[in-house]
């Protein structure tokens, strides 16, 4: 701003001509008008905001009882019944969602109104606590928009969580008069308790035309797969009772049933189960003679014993979740919270969020007809698996059951994943508990492929200015049959690489890449020139490797394309005295790293090193001019969970630890620094990913009593 | 001068104000008043009395849930049976589970009618079932029935269409209203509307159908199968085309399509629009109007130009060179293109709204395909461009895995269908979605063995666990004498001294009973003797006695030292899914004889490790016994020394990887004396063969004589028969051996952990 006006100022004299007085007055008035106009616009720009925010402020202070009242005439239209054939591609208007670089749908919430019929009797409770929480959660989420024109999904504020609490016809009429109703297209209703006596439908009975239904208690016949969302029945106990997570393992009871209103037929079967298997089965019922003031919902009884509910659930390995009049049961949430493995006995029930959650990992589903076999079925599950199921059950509760917010966001995410399938959340993200996400690895090169030999490999030589040694390396490496290209990374900005004519003449293309800065990470850049999968990183002074050794290294890499395959091996050790990791380069029986001064690896890891290296490791390496190889070892081991492969016997590498002699001090300090690297990287990765192994790879006939000339790789291990 | 200054001042003031009001507005939005602006977004109000709101349901109401006295569960189930039939069938209502209880999951195929040949594809489906381990020729034992009438092509205009099916099936005494029947169908309906109607009443039968639409699909009951051509191989199947994992994908094209454009009728909407996304550079979308006899009648202005462009590109070339392939609906929802793209590692971009994807009950297609929407065709290019290179790589690999695991042959398609149905019979003993979608695939994972990931050799990394740190030595004893031979005693001694040995199990495969327990050597680990049934395949029976993940399989005559065992076990722990062992053999293609050759000579390669001395995961015992069809095991029992080839072939087919050879001490005794075999010579591989001397004419080779060469030719036969059974040669060669890190290095022996291996 200052610059612009200053400029104008300096130019001013030349631009503004001298004027007469008449004109002067004229200009002054003109300026004043303009000035006033500007002030007015400015004020105007301020006002609306303040009006808006102040009105919001009053909204904050409103009570749900003050919301506008809408009277529904008796003859106002009723939507059609839900259309069972609805699918996303037939009933959902996807154009409202559009292509969105953030891949997030926009959700609009209608403002709260109170609906009354002609006689002024209200249609339903205005809003329940849970529905209010749910709408608040949506409103606070990234999905929310207050702009009805940009919305892709509409959520009515009419509370239909519990069908028993509303009048069906009038609620339907209320839905139909929503401003964007349009046959319910892109409208989402949340319902947890569907149906009513006597037949208890498994989906909300309110006519809702094309609206999507997030329902608790769908059966396979009412659930429109890929359209509706099956949600849990929220248990208010989730919020009231704090059950700390219990470690997995055996518990006092094997099977427990805690439901109060079981059908007598089921109860008979359960009692038979108890009679057969004794004390490991506990079948609880409601308490008949509780003293006053004790809430019946928080107590369960067996004979004269009284148990606290839901705490008692933590005492059992398996907890039965039987269907009642409805398929969806709130007890499922309590059971999961207790880390008890639910045994779900409800034929045709669509489990909550079954579109994304793998319930086989957290529950046992038993057909009603097989109830008598329940005990033996559960006995056949291995203990280790039970422990995982307990952990998984608890995780499902924490992530998707514990609050209305969790339920709302999971529902929206499922719908979001359908609309932007290419950005959908993966199975692992939905299902793996944090502990598993943490300890498991998903190898990016998971397909067992043995790359074709014909592809060959690209050798990358990082060099600074040791031209003579570099040329020798080039000449040596060029003798390897499978070499397909040689790339020299010229890391010296002060000196030009030698002229073309001076370079050794080799049979494969040789390219020189000049770098902008002298950084070690240049060695691991995924250059476009690398056309092969296999990369051989080699220092400009590694001249002692024979052609057979290099070729054999390549062959070994082909058998282990997702690993670092290298020559000099190194080890990390835990130093008990210092309580930290230590770097070891002595002749040991184990290896956990290979030096990248001579190693084969997949080009993909260059990509990972350059773009996906965690924390500040990359910069740290460049700043310290050391440990790029250790960083690479960490990276590969962390992402694949696999060890390195050291090939061929120990060689006398010419001071392999001090390849960059220039300026770098030797031995002792060097070792200390590399130990520090290991500790630093282990803390950045949050774990020690390196794997220690006791083997190395040799040719099949290495040192065997067999004519050398018949061996594929005779020249191996010569010092 | 004065006035000028004033003017200047005024102008300055005005411009400053201007900037403040207009430019400042932006400023205000971003910095000064952003908090306020945020609040201005009309969020859901925080009601003052929100804490007082009533819960949506009374706790009592939630826990009691309605009136339980209404309808008894039994009555309800009975009511279901009458209501939910035909189009509303579910397993609970239309499937008779009791048929599967006694004999397990057995499938019966009706005999084919005389004079009514079935199509090539249906013939393959039937023979897949008959070759599977679920087949039974006895309808009384069957749980599932498959018709002998060809029901694949239900297009009334087609030559393969079988008429009067209704009449025929009504004549079958086993039909029973279609209960427990499985009907395969590839093509349904015909011009113009291609409805899903089969032309006969399927009753309560399950449908395994291609191009299933979500509307008529009965979830949890029907199975959607892929459309496959009549050239689709019976078994084995071609491999996928992905040979290298490149990041970014080095492909010439991003997105391709080449196919027919329907000018009218069903499916024409999408096909007509496809040319819009063609950009002639990295997106190639070519259509032709030429199809059917009367295409020229409907011809429009684009047709001529399109037809010319269309001829410029080759479909196969596009498949090979593109990252994504559009798989739009044709007249029907599914197309051959789907499997073609999958095999080619060209990530399918599905434009087929309402298609119930093949095996979607098991397969997570979100990991291998982009499920687009026909309505959003024009967004596809930008959507696929936004997919990260790592994700593309994962997609590509997943296509290859799925292709190879479930689709590459008719056998796999049919077996996947059967396994999906089998999994429904006992939900607690079924595969989780993870198992279906991770290598090596659901077919190779037997839920009857375990449903726990940690019990299989494949998932340690994904599961974040590791195999148990001990092994079971499993020795097959064949001594004739009825007493314990010296080699056996030595072997027990050596193995029991290993620090990793948990137990020793001896499989006594002789007619004579094993010596009493007092005669067995005293060992520090428990020793169990099992009486075998003298079948060769017996040695891979999943004996209960084997308690550890690792099995060290041994022959009585194997000679191993404790350090060899120790080192091999440590190596196995790094490769728990492979066979890790000592003596090896290799296979090769013999072009002169046009068959697989086999050698146990010293070579630079290996592809089999003899199970006479090898570590492997105990799951492979289950896989060998339960997964392989009985016919294959009979074949092995009939040939000498074939069972370990089969084991190697099986493990290679599962892992696609070679076995691992570890260091073995030099064998001092050249040619162990011909072993004393019990019975008629149907014994395991003698260790004598394991290290044939290099020179072919050495004395010992001659000495071995006839018996050796017979065994050799039987092994060769075995290899070829197995390759035929599997439909391809699963064995993979390796050129390496794993040695201890300091093996034969010039270091003091004192520093070495396994010095004895070098003697």
């Amino acid at each position: 701003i200052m610059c612009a006006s200053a400029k104008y100022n300096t130019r001013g004299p030349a631009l503004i001509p001298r004027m007469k007085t008449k004109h002067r007055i004229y200009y002054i008035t003109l300026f004043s008008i303009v000035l006033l106009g500007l002030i007015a616009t400015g004020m105007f720009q301020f006002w609306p905001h303040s009006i808006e925010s102040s009105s919001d402020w009053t909204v904050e202070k409103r009570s749900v009882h003050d919301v506008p009242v809408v009277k529904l005439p008796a003859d106002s239209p009723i939507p059609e019944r839900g259309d069972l054939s609805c699918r996303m591609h037939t009933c959902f208007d996807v154009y409202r969602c559009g292509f969105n670089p953030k891949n997030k749908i926009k959700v609009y919430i209608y403002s709260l109104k109170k609906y009354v019929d002609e006689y002024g009797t209200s249609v339903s409770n205005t809003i329940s606590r849970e529905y209010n929480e749910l709408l608040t959660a949506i409103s606070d989420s990234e999905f929310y928009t207050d702009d009805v024109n940009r919305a892709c999904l509409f959520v009515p504020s009419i509370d239909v969580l519990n069908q028993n609490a509303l009048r069906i016809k009038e609620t339907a009429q209320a839905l139909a008069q929503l401003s964007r109703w349009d046959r319910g297209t892109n409208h989402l209703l949340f319902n947890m308790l569907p149906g009513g006596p006597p037949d208890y439908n498994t989906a909300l009975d309110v006519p809702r035309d094309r609206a999507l239904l997030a329902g608790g208690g769908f059966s396979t016949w009412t659930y429109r797969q890929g359209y509706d969302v099956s949600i849990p029945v929220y248990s208010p106990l989730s919020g009231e009772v704090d059950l700390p997570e219990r470690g997995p393992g055996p518990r006092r009871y094997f099977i427990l049933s805690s439901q109060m209103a079981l059908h007598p037929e089921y109860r008979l079967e359960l009692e038979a189960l108890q009679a057969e298997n004794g004390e490991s089965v506990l079948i609880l019922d409601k308490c008949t003679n509780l003293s006053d003031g004790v809430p019946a919902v928080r107590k369960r009884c067996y004979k004269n014993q009284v148990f606290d509910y839901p705490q008692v659930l933590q005492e059992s390995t398996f907890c039965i979740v039987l269907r009642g009049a409805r398929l969806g049961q709130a007890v499922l949430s309590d059971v999961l919270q207790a880390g008890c493995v639910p045994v779900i006995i409800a034929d045709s029930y669509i489990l909550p969020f079954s579109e994304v959650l793998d319930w086989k990992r957290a529950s046992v589903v038993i057909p009603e007809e097989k109830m008598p076999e329940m005990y033996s079925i559960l006995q056949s599950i291995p203990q280790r698996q039970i422990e995982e199921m307990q952990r998984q059950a608890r995780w499902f509760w924490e992530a998707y059951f514990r609050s209305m917010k969790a339920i709302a966001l999971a529902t929206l995410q499922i719908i979001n994943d359908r609309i932007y399938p290419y950005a959908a959340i993966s199975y692992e993200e939905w299902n793996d508990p944090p502990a598993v996400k943490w300890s498991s690895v998903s190898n990016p090169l998971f397909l067992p492929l043995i790359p074709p030999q014909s592809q060959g490999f690209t050798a990358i030589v990082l060099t600074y200015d040791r031209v003579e040694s570099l040329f020798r390396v080039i000449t040596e490496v060029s003798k390897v049959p499978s070499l397909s290209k040689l790339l020299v990374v010229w890391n010296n900005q002060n000196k030009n690489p030698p002229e073309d004519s001076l370079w050794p003449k080799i049979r494969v293309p040789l390219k020189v890449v000049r770098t902008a800065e002298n950084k070690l990470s240049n060695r691991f850049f995924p250059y476009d020139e690398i056309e092969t999968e296999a990369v051989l990183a080699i220092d400009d002074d590694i001249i002692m490797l024979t052609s057979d050794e290099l070729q054999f290294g390549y062959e070994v890499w082909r058998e282990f394309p997702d690993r670092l395959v290298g020559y000099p091996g190194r080890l990390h050790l835990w130093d008990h005295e210092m309580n930290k990791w230590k770097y070891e380069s002595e002749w040991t029986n184990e290896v956990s790293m290979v030096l990248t001064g001579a190693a084969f690896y997949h080009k993909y890891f260059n990509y990972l090193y350059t773009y996906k290296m965690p924390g500040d490791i990359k910069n740290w390496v460049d700043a310290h001019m050391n440990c790029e190889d250790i960083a690479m070892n960490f990276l590969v081991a962390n992402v694949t969970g696999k060890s390195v492969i050291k090939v061929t016997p120990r060689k006398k590498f010419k001071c392999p630890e001090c390849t960059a002699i220039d300026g770098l001090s030797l031995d002792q300090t060097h070792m200390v620094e590399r130990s520090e690297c290991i500790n630093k990287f282990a803390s950045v990765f949050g774990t020690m990913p390196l794997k220690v192994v006791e083997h190395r790879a040799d040719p099949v006939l290495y040192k065997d009593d067999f004519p050398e000339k018949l061996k594929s790789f005779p020249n191996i291990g010569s010092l | 001068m004065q006035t000028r200054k004033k003017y200047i001042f005024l102008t300055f003031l005005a411009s400053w104000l201007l900037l403040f009001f207009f430019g400042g507005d932006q400023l205000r939005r971003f910095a000064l008043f952003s908090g306020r602006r945020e609040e201005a977004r009309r969020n859901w109000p925080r009601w003052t009395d929100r804490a007082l709101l009533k819960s949506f349901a009374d706790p009592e109401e939630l826990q009691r849930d309605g009136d339980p006295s209404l309808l008894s569960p039994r009555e309800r189930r009975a009511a279901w049976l009458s209501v939910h039939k035909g189009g509303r069938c579910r397993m609970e209502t239309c499937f008779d589970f009791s048929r599967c209880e006694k004999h397990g999951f057995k499938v019966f195929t009706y005999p084919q009618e005389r004079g009514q040949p079935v199509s090539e594809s249906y013939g393959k489906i039937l023979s897949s079932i008959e070759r599977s381990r679920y087949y039974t020729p006895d309808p009384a034992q069957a749980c599932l029935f498959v018709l002998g009438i060809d029901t694949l092509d239900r297009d009334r205009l087609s030559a393969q269409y079988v008429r009067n099916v209704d009449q025929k099936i009504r004549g079958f005494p086993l039909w029973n209203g279609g209960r427990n029947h499985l009907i395969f169908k590839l093509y349904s309906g015909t011009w113009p509307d291609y409805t899903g109607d089969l032309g006969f009443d399927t009753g309560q039968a399950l449908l395994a159908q291609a191009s299933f639409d979500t509307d008529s699909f009965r979830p949890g009951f029907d199975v959607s199968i892929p459309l496959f051509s009549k050239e689709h191989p019976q078994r084995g199947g071609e491999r996928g085309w992905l040979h290298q994992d490149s990041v970014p994908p080095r492909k010439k094209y991003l997105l391709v399509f080449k196919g027919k454009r329907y000018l009218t009728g069903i499916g024409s909407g999408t096909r007509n629009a496809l040319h819009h996304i063609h950009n002639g550079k990295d997106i190639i979308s070519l259509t032709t109007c030429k199809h059917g006899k009367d295409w020229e009648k409907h011809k429009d202005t684009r047709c001529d130009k399109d037809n010319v462009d269309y001829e410029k590109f080759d479909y196969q070339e596009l498949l090979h060179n593109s990252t994504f392939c559009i798989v739009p609906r044709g007249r029907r929802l599914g197309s051959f293109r789907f499997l073609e793209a999958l095999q080619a590692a060209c990530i399918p971009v599905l434009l087929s709204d309402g298609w119930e994807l093949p095996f979607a009950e098991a397969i997570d297609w979100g990991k291998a395909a982009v499920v687009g929407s026909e309505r959003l065709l024009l967004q596809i290019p930008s959507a696929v461009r936004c997919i990260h290179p790592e994700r593309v790589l994962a997609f590509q690999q997943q296509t290859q895995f799925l292709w190879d695991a479930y689709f590459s042959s008719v056998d796999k398609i049919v077996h996947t269908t059967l396994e999906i149905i089998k999994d429904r019979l006992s939900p607690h003993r079924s595969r989780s979605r993870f198992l279906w979608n991770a290598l090596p695939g659901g077919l190779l994972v037997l839920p009857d063995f375990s449903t726990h990931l940690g019990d299989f050799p494949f998932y340690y990394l994904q599961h974040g666990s590791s195999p148990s740190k001990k092994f079971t030595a499993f020795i097959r004893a064949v001594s004739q004498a009825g007493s314990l031979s010296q080699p056996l005693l030595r072997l027990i001694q050596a193995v029991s001294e290993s620090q990793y040995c948990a137990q020793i199990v001896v499989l006594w495969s002789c007619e004579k009973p094993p010596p009493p327990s007092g005669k067995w050597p005293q060992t520090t680990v428990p020793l169990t003797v099992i009486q075998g049934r003298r079948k060769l395949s017996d040695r891979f029976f999943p004996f209960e006695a084997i308690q550890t993940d690792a099995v060290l399989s041994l022959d009585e005559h194997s000679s191993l030292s404790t350090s060899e065992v120790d080192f091999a076990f440590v190596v196995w722990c790094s490769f728990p899914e492979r066979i890790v062992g000592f003596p090896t053999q290799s296979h090769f293609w013999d072009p002169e004889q046009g068959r697989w050759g086999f050698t146990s000579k010293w070579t630079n390669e290996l592809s089999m490790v003899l199970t006479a001395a090898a570590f492997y995961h105990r799951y492979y015992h289950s896989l060998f016994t339960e997964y392989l069809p009985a016919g294959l095991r009979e074949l092995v029992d009939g040939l000498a020394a074939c069972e370990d080839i089969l084991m190697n072939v099986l493990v290679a087919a599962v892992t696609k990887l070679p076995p691992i050879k570890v260091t073995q001490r030099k064998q001092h005794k050249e040619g162990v004396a011909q072993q004393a075999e019990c019975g008629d010579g149907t014994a395991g591989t003698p260790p004598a063969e394991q290290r044939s001397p290099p020179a072919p004419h050495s004395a010992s080779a001659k000495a071995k004589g006839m018996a050796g060469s017979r065994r050799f030719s039987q092994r060769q036969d075995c290899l070829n028969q197995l390759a035929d059974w599997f439909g391809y040669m699963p064995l993979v060669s390796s050129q390496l051996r794993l040695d201890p890190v300091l093996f034969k290095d010039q270091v003091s022996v004192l520093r070495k952990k396994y010095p004895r291996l070098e003697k």
Side-chain angles (χ1 to χ4, degrees), chain B residues 296-579:
Chain B
E296 284 188 327
K297 233 174 19 191
H298 305 285
K299 181 171 161 177
D300 60 14
T301 48
R302 287 197 60 88
C303 277
D304 287 324
K305 183 184 169 297
D306 279 356
N307 287 349
V308 171
D309 283 345
Y310 186 83
E311 299 303 327
K312 284 188 198 153
F313 290 86
D314 176 54
Y315 177 61
Q316 292 292 321
E317 195 240 297
L318 289 176
L319 265 187
H320 269 285
N321 292 308
S322 180
T323 310
F324 294 92
C325 281
I326 299 181
V327 179
R329 61 168 300 162
R331 295 294 193 200
R332 301 185 180 91
L333 290 168
S335 55
F336 295 120
R337 201 179 290 280
F338 180 64
L339 284 190
E340 286 162 357
L342 208 61
Q343 179 181 15
C346 187
I347 303 161
V349 176
L350 304 172
L351 294 175
S352 191
D353 288 350
W355 182 23
E356 175 69 27
L357 296 177
F359 304 136
E361 189 173 336
I363 295 176
D364 183 357
W365 283 106
K367 289 185 166 201
V370 177
V371 185
S373 161
E374 284 181 50
R375 293 181 291 175
L376 300 180
L377 167 69
L378 298 183
Q379 291 182 5
I380 294 293
S382 44
V384 296
R385 271 185 220 283
C386 287
I387 299 175
H388 283 284
E390 310 108 89
R391 192 105 195 275
V392 170
L393 181 65
F395 269 134
Q396 286 176 328
Q397 294 179 80
Q398 191 75 7
T399 60
Q400 299 297 281
F401 153 57
L402 292 177
W403 162 256
D404 189 64
Y406 306 116
F407 298 106
S408 65
S409 68
V410 177
D411 268 7
K412 284 174 187 164
I413 294 174
V414 171
H415 292 171
T416 309
T417 311
L418 296 182
E419 292 289 346
I420 286 177
I421 296 170
K422 179 175 176 274
D423 264 7
R424 296 174 187 161
L425 302 182
S426 45
H428 60 280
R429 277 241 162 263
S430 60
R431 301 163 179 88
S432 68
R433 219 169 155 75
F434 173 84
L435 291 176
W436 282 109
N437 291 286
L439 279 156
L443 298 187
L444 294 165
V445 171
L446 306 176
D448 290 326
F449 170 75
S450 171
T451 42
H452 184 243
L453 295 188
D455 286 338
F456 292 95
F458 317 115
Y459 310 113
Y460 291 119
L461 289 172
Q462 288 116 308
H463 185 245
S465 62
S466 50
S468 55
K469 288 285 166 254
K470 296 268 176 177
F471 69 85
T472 301
F474 184 73
I475 308 172
R476 183 168 178 274
V478 290
S479 316
Q480 199 175 25
S483 61
L484 299 171
S485 66
Q486 275 308 308
L488 180 60
L489 289 173
R490 268 203 305 274
L491 189 62
I492 291 176
Q493 191 61 34
V495 167
S496 68
E497 274 170 26
S498 164
Q499 51 175 317
Y500 305 112
C501 183
Q503 56 171 155
I504 298 177
V505 177
V506 178
L507 176 66
W508 192 261
S509 298
C510 278
E511 267 174 78
K512 289 188 186 140
S517 55
K519 292 261 176 111
W520 292 89
Q522 291 294 312
T523 50
T524 47
V525 293
L527 189 146
T528 321
V529 182
I530 305 173
Q531 179 75 55
R533 287 167 305 155
R534 301 202 50 243
K535 271 189 181 171
L536 283 171
S537 54
D538 228 24
R539 77 177 306 162
F540 299 125
F541 187 82
F543 293 103
E544 287 277 323
I546 303 174
Q547 296 284 333
T548 56
D549 288 336
V551 178
L552 169 59
S553 167
L554 294 166
D555 268 359
E556 182 177 349
H557 299 275
S558 308
S559 146
L560 286 179
S561 70
T562 309
S563 31
E564 281 172 307
V565 170
D566 280 348
F567 176 67
F569 177 71
V570 173
V571 169
W572 178 84
C573 287
S574 293
F575 305 94
E577 78 282 26
R578 305 205 204 186
I579 303 182

Side-chain angles (χ1 to χ4, degrees), chain A residues 311-382:
Chain A
Q311 286 81 351
V312 64
L313 296 173
Q314 287 200 311
E315 301 300 321
S316 180
T317 307
F318 291 101
C319 295
I320 296 174
V321 180
L322 254 166
R323 63 164 295 162
R326 299 189 181 89
L327 285 166
Q329 296 288 319
V331 67
L332 176 60
S333 174
D334 301 335
V335 166
L336 295 174
Q337 183 182 11
C340 185
V341 179
V343 179
I344 295 160
I345 308 175
D347 285 0
S348 84
Y349 176 42
I350 302 285
L351 284 161
F353 303 127
S354 61
E355 189 170 334
V356 291
L357 299 190
D358 190 346
W359 279 96
K360 283 180 189 169
R361 286 170 62 174
S363 70
V364 184
V365 175
I366 294 182
E368 287 180 37
E369 300 227 355
K370 290 206 174 171
M371 254 176 89
E373 295 158 46
M374 181 186 337
Y375 197 84
S376 59
I377 287 175
L378 298 179
Q379 281 274 300
S380 71
I381 301 174

